[in-house]
Amino acid sequence: MCGIVGYVGSRPALNIVIDGLRRLEYRGYDSAGVAIIDSGVIQTEKKAGKLANLEKALAERAADGIGTGTTGIGHTRWATHGGPTDRNAHPHLSADGRIAVIHNGIIENFARLRAELEAAGIEFQSDTDTECAAHLIAAEMRALRESGAQDGPALLAEGMRRVANRLEGAFTLLATDVNVPNAVVAARRNSPLVVGRGNGENFLASDVSAFIEHTREAVELGQDQIVLITPEGIEITGFDGSPAVGKEYHVDWDMSAAEKGGYDWFMLKEIAEQPQAIADTLLGRLSERGEIILDEVRLTDQDLRDVDKVFIVACGTAYHAGMVAKYAIEHWVRIPCEVELASEFRYRDPILDRSTLVIAISQSGETMDTLMALRHAKEQKARVLAICNTNGSTIPRESDAVLYTHGGPEIAVASTKAFLTQLVACYLIGLHLAQVRGVMYSDEVAAVVEKLQATPDSLRTLLSRMDDVRALGRDLRTASTVLFIGRHVGFPVALEGALKLKELAYMHAEGFAAGELKHGSISLIDDGTPVVCVVPSPAGRGVMRDKVVSNIQEVRARGARTIVIAEEGDEDVRQFADHLIQVPHTPTLLAPLMTTVPLQILACEIAAARGNDVDQPRNLAKSVTVE
Ligand code: F6R
């Protein structure tokens, strides 16, 4: 939620900040704004709506524009406190006009702080929690100056440190001071922030895509840290003022991975990238001894042998990946596995101890609900293993072990390649557990891995024949409701298909366990209601497949228009399908790697046909860093 960029160097900051915001816009697009320090003045411009509105406003400014200052900050917002208006757009300035602040997160004690500032005579210009921080930093710096401190980067950092210690909640704050050109300071607590190390210039951003064009050298920060960037260096301290060291790393993807590459939408590009993303996630995972290799493991094999129960916590699409994982883990590992919505996990007071393994799945690694579930699990002494797509993000850092999905950057708000790679990671973890615990032999594990390794090619074939699905999507654009049914691993696929349609096409859609429909929801079916039916492979579980076919007949008998996703060779199902989408054969547990893909394309096509912004659906943001 909210994208943040900061730059100091020798080049004009504006273009660098705007380009960075463009790549972070997926994090929120309720408003955008910049502040540039130029010749002793803070120049700001901010506008409600997408970044394009800000760019237009900048273009319409007088000839001198916003100046050529080489220090700047920029923000793209997903509104929390205060509606999405020009007035509430960031940056926010301190009353004396010296300090400009941008913020991602929520300052929970803002009402108290605002009351205190108002009592001191400050007139607020916005309804945001962020504005408090600008006034507070200015006040702290003023007090320090009055007691003899000199203006400069160190004073700005100290002002920020003092304020960070007063704030409750989750925040990344960036601040600049008009009298301190060539410095941007940031504070981080429970909200993403990464530093880009350049040559004579440095960057701050919510994620590396904002500065990848300029540098691939990044520095990971810890929680409760202050970072001061100047053209010459990067200085990190804790909220207590003690010096700290960030973890340096090299980003192994480049700009082209963050561009659309000729596709109309990032989502289409990311759907097309799925075969490669799966292959990359599988790459190098099998050791010479046939064992699965995790990325960072702070757990011993004995720890994994001691596990007597698995909980998977995740949100949205990642939760659906967890639902699929439950079938695989229970089948292969033979231990109970529960899947929980991360936002509900800690309130339910789950029974956790040292022998519980909690698997936290998150593309961004910053989802607050998942992070809080993870922390709750750790407090209860459970071991936590993260599945994540974002190096250096909070969730993997706070976990005992990590398996990274090598999906590359996912820019479209709707998750596609992250989902498939999360599935792959879940399969690998299931196999790893089964092997370590001696329930599967290495050759059995290798046999499944071999099937997994075949999926990228099958998926390429599937993707090459999606024209009918696209045509169907255009045809369904006026439907008022679309239902999805599936059994076993087809059930989470049905849920995922419905989620994609809701979030992109803004249509009513619901996913059901196929057998559950007759217990009430079948009454939704009217003449012509589209029902997408995910049919299991007849080769895997014939009985299950036959049951789904019966469910298809039930809905058809009530007037449904059936869109059937079935395996190639299952010709018998054709007679029950108004539209048949055939997918290549895969073993039953791995089938979601195929069956989900037509549903992604269907949702994308329907949304585009309805004139929606596929990459940035309304009301959403890519990385949900509030609870
Ligand atoms: C839907 C979607 C979301 C995310 C969810 C979790 O297309 O993208 O439902 O899956 O917000 O996000 P991560 O995986 O970043 O924790």
Side-chain angles (χ1 to χ4, degrees), residues 605-620:
E605 200 64 40
I606 297 178
R610 285 165 74 97
N612 296 355
D613 184 334
V614 171
D615 286 335
Q616 296 180 343
R618 69 185 181 198
N619 303 338
L620 290 170

PDB file of all heavy atoms in Angstrom, residues 605-620:
ATOM      1  N   GLU A 605      -9.809 -10.978 -19.902  1.00  0.00           N
ATOM      2  CA  GLU A 605     -10.529 -10.612 -21.131  1.00  0.00           C
ATOM      3  C   GLU A 605     -11.875  -9.964 -20.817  1.00  0.00           C
ATOM      4  O   GLU A 605     -12.255  -8.961 -21.429  1.00  0.00           O
ATOM      5  CB  GLU A 605     -10.732 -11.902 -21.958  1.00  0.00           C
ATOM      6  CG  GLU A 605     -11.001 -11.683 -23.403  1.00  0.00           C
ATOM      7  CD  GLU A 605      -9.859 -11.025 -24.170  1.00  0.00           C
ATOM      8  OE1 GLU A 605      -8.688 -11.357 -23.920  1.00  0.00           O
ATOM      9  OE2 GLU A 605     -10.161 -10.146 -25.016  1.00  0.00           O
ATOM     10  N   ILE A 606     -12.598 -10.516 -19.850  1.00  0.00           N
ATOM     11  CA  ILE A 606     -13.902  -9.936 -19.495  1.00  0.00           C
ATOM     12  C   ILE A 606     -13.685  -8.510 -18.987  1.00  0.00           C
ATOM     13  O   ILE A 606     -14.392  -7.578 -19.357  1.00  0.00           O
ATOM     14  CB  ILE A 606     -14.642 -10.793 -18.426  1.00  0.00           C
ATOM     15  CG1 ILE A 606     -14.953 -12.185 -18.983  1.00  0.00           C
ATOM     16  CG2 ILE A 606     -15.929 -10.113 -17.974  1.00  0.00           C
ATOM     17  CD1 ILE A 606     -15.632 -13.146 -18.001  1.00  0.00           C
ATOM     18  N   ALA A 607     -12.669  -8.339 -18.126  1.00  0.00           N
ATOM     19  CA  ALA A 607     -12.404  -7.017 -17.552  1.00  0.00           C
ATOM     20  C   ALA A 607     -12.050  -6.018 -18.654  1.00  0.00           C
ATOM     21  O   ALA A 607     -12.564  -4.893 -18.672  1.00  0.00           O
ATOM     22  CB  ALA A 607     -11.269  -7.104 -16.539  1.00  0.00           C
ATOM     23  N   ALA A 608     -11.189  -6.442 -19.585  1.00  0.00           N
ATOM     24  CA  ALA A 608     -10.798  -5.534 -20.667  1.00  0.00           C
ATOM     25  C   ALA A 608     -12.018  -5.195 -21.523  1.00  0.00           C
ATOM     26  O   ALA A 608     -12.217  -4.035 -21.901  1.00  0.00           O
ATOM     27  CB  ALA A 608      -9.693  -6.167 -21.503  1.00  0.00           C
ATOM     28  N   ALA A 609     -12.857  -6.215 -21.799  1.00  0.00           N
ATOM     29  CA  ALA A 609     -14.053  -5.978 -22.624  1.00  0.00           C
ATOM     30  C   ALA A 609     -15.020  -5.023 -21.923  1.00  0.00           C
ATOM     31  O   ALA A 609     -15.790  -4.327 -22.574  1.00  0.00           O
ATOM     32  CB  ALA A 609     -14.742  -7.306 -22.934  1.00  0.00           C
ATOM     33  N   ARG A 610     -14.981  -4.991 -20.614  1.00  0.00           N
ATOM     34  CA  ARG A 610     -15.858  -4.067 -19.866  1.00  0.00           C
ATOM     35  C   ARG A 610     -15.221  -2.693 -19.699  1.00  0.00           C
ATOM     36  O   ARG A 610     -15.750  -1.826 -19.001  1.00  0.00           O
ATOM     37  CB  ARG A 610     -16.169  -4.668 -18.482  1.00  0.00           C
ATOM     38  CG  ARG A 610     -17.178  -5.820 -18.578  1.00  0.00           C
ATOM     39  CD  ARG A 610     -17.210  -6.640 -17.320  1.00  0.00           C
ATOM     40  NE  ARG A 610     -17.873  -6.001 -16.197  1.00  0.00           N
ATOM     41  CZ  ARG A 610     -19.131  -6.206 -15.844  1.00  0.00           C
ATOM     42  NH1 ARG A 610     -19.886  -7.028 -16.556  1.00  0.00           N
ATOM     43  NH2 ARG A 610     -19.635  -5.607 -14.796  1.00  0.00           N
ATOM     44  N   GLY A 611     -14.037  -2.533 -20.283  1.00  0.00           N
ATOM     45  CA  GLY A 611     -13.385  -1.226 -20.254  1.00  0.00           C
ATOM     46  C   GLY A 611     -12.656  -0.945 -18.945  1.00  0.00           C
ATOM     47  O   GLY A 611     -12.338   0.210 -18.648  1.00  0.00           O
ATOM     48  N   ASN A 612     -12.380  -1.980 -18.161  1.00  0.00           N
ATOM     49  CA  ASN A 612     -11.717  -1.762 -16.869  1.00  0.00           C
ATOM     50  C   ASN A 612     -10.199  -1.704 -17.032  1.00  0.00           C
ATOM     51  O   ASN A 612      -9.645  -2.241 -17.990  1.00  0.00           O
ATOM     52  CB  ASN A 612     -12.051  -2.902 -15.894  1.00  0.00           C
ATOM     53  CG  ASN A 612     -13.527  -2.943 -15.578  1.00  0.00           C
ATOM     54  OD1 ASN A 612     -14.283  -2.070 -16.020  1.00  0.00           O
ATOM     55  ND2 ASN A 612     -13.952  -3.928 -14.831  1.00  0.00           N
ATOM     56  N   ASP A 613      -9.561  -1.093 -16.055  1.00  0.00           N
ATOM     57  CA  ASP A 613      -8.103  -1.087 -16.017  1.00  0.00           C
ATOM     58  C   ASP A 613      -7.660  -2.420 -15.411  1.00  0.00           C
ATOM     59  O   ASP A 613      -7.785  -2.646 -14.209  1.00  0.00           O
ATOM     60  CB  ASP A 613      -7.625   0.094 -15.161  1.00  0.00           C
ATOM     61  CG  ASP A 613      -6.104   0.211 -15.162  1.00  0.00           C
ATOM     62  OD1 ASP A 613      -5.421  -0.814 -15.363  1.00  0.00           O
ATOM     63  OD2 ASP A 613      -5.601   1.324 -14.941  1.00  0.00           O
ATOM     64  N   VAL A 614      -7.176  -3.299 -16.260  1.00  0.00           N
ATOM     65  CA  VAL A 614      -6.862  -4.665 -15.818  1.00  0.00           C
ATOM     66  C   VAL A 614      -5.729  -4.674 -14.787  1.00  0.00           C
ATOM     67  O   VAL A 614      -5.780  -5.418 -13.806  1.00  0.00           O
ATOM     68  CB  VAL A 614      -6.496  -5.545 -17.036  1.00  0.00           C
ATOM     69  CG1 VAL A 614      -5.947  -6.887 -16.606  1.00  0.00           C
ATOM     70  CG2 VAL A 614      -7.710  -5.727 -17.930  1.00  0.00           C
ATOM     71  N   ASP A 615      -4.731  -3.838 -14.998  1.00  0.00           N
ATOM     72  CA  ASP A 615      -3.565  -3.892 -14.104  1.00  0.00           C
ATOM     73  C   ASP A 615      -3.806  -3.204 -12.768  1.00  0.00           C
ATOM     74  O   ASP A 615      -3.172  -3.533 -11.772  1.00  0.00           O
ATOM     75  CB  ASP A 615      -2.349  -3.236 -14.778  1.00  0.00           C
ATOM     76  CG  ASP A 615      -1.785  -4.122 -15.870  1.00  0.00           C
ATOM     77  OD1 ASP A 615      -1.993  -5.345 -15.791  1.00  0.00           O
ATOM     78  OD2 ASP A 615      -1.148  -3.594 -16.793  1.00  0.00           O
ATOM     79  N   GLN A 616      -4.709  -2.247 -12.790  1.00  0.00           N
ATOM     80  CA  GLN A 616      -4.939  -1.476 -11.553  1.00  0.00           C
ATOM     81  C   GLN A 616      -6.430  -1.403 -11.266  1.00  0.00           C
ATOM     82  O   GLN A 616      -7.059  -0.345 -11.418  1.00  0.00           O
ATOM     83  CB  GLN A 616      -4.334  -0.084 -11.684  1.00  0.00           C
ATOM     84  CG  GLN A 616      -2.820  -0.147 -11.821  1.00  0.00           C
ATOM     85  CD  GLN A 616      -2.183   1.211 -11.941  1.00  0.00           C
ATOM     86  OE1 GLN A 616      -2.840   2.209 -12.239  1.00  0.00           O
ATOM     87  NE2 GLN A 616      -0.886   1.271 -11.718  1.00  0.00           N
ATOM     88  N   PRO A 617      -7.029  -2.518 -10.866  1.00  0.00           N
ATOM     89  CA  PRO A 617      -8.470  -2.492 -10.598  1.00  0.00           C
ATOM     90  C   PRO A 617      -8.808  -1.529  -9.460  1.00  0.00           C
ATOM     91  O   PRO A 617      -7.977  -1.283  -8.589  1.00  0.00           O
ATOM     92  CB  PRO A 617      -8.795  -3.933 -10.220  1.00  0.00           C
ATOM     93  CG  PRO A 617      -7.523  -4.664 -10.133  1.00  0.00           C
ATOM     94  CD  PRO A 617      -6.420  -3.824 -10.653  1.00  0.00           C
ATOM     95  N   ARG A 618     -10.030  -1.051  -9.507  1.00  0.00           N
ATOM     96  CA  ARG A 618     -10.432  -0.014  -8.541  1.00  0.00           C
ATOM     97  C   ARG A 618     -10.334  -0.532  -7.097  1.00  0.00           C
ATOM     98  O   ARG A 618     -10.495  -1.725  -6.832  1.00  0.00           O
ATOM     99  CB  ARG A 618     -11.857   0.465  -8.845  1.00  0.00           C
ATOM    100  CG  ARG A 618     -12.923  -0.577  -8.559  1.00  0.00           C
ATOM    101  CD  ARG A 618     -14.296  -0.096  -8.982  1.00  0.00           C
ATOM    102  NE  ARG A 618     -15.294  -1.113  -8.669  1.00  0.00           N
ATOM    103  CZ  ARG A 618     -16.500  -1.165  -9.206  1.00  0.00           C
ATOM    104  NH1 ARG A 618     -16.868  -0.275 -10.099  1.00  0.00           N
ATOM    105  NH2 ARG A 618     -17.336  -2.116  -8.852  1.00  0.00           N
ATOM    106  N   ASN A 619     -10.098   0.362  -6.197  1.00  0.00           N
ATOM    107  CA  ASN A 619     -10.109   0.112  -4.737  1.00  0.00           C
ATOM    108  C   ASN A 619      -8.998  -0.804  -4.227  1.00  0.00           C
ATOM    109  O   ASN A 619      -8.975  -1.141  -3.046  1.00  0.00           O
ATOM    110  CB  ASN A 619     -11.434  -0.505  -4.264  1.00  0.00           C
ATOM    111  CG  ASN A 619     -12.630   0.347  -4.626  1.00  0.00           C
ATOM    112  OD1 ASN A 619     -12.466   1.550  -4.845  1.00  0.00           O
ATOM    113  ND2 ASN A 619     -13.796  -0.238  -4.696  1.00  0.00           N
ATOM    114  N   LEU A 620      -8.123  -1.272  -5.079  1.00  0.00           N
ATOM    115  CA  LEU A 620      -7.134  -2.270  -4.645  1.00  0.00           C
ATOM    116  C   LEU A 620      -5.720  -1.702  -4.650  1.00  0.00           C
ATOM    117  O   LEU A 620      -5.463  -0.634  -5.172  1.00  0.00           O
ATOM    118  CB  LEU A 620      -7.181  -3.482  -5.578  1.00  0.00           C
ATOM    119  CG  LEU A 620      -8.426  -4.347  -5.471  1.00  0.00           C
ATOM    120  CD1 LEU A 620      -8.463  -5.356  -6.601  1.00  0.00           C
ATOM    121  CD2 LEU A 620      -8.456  -5.063  -4.128  1.00  0.00           C
TER     122      LEU A 620
END
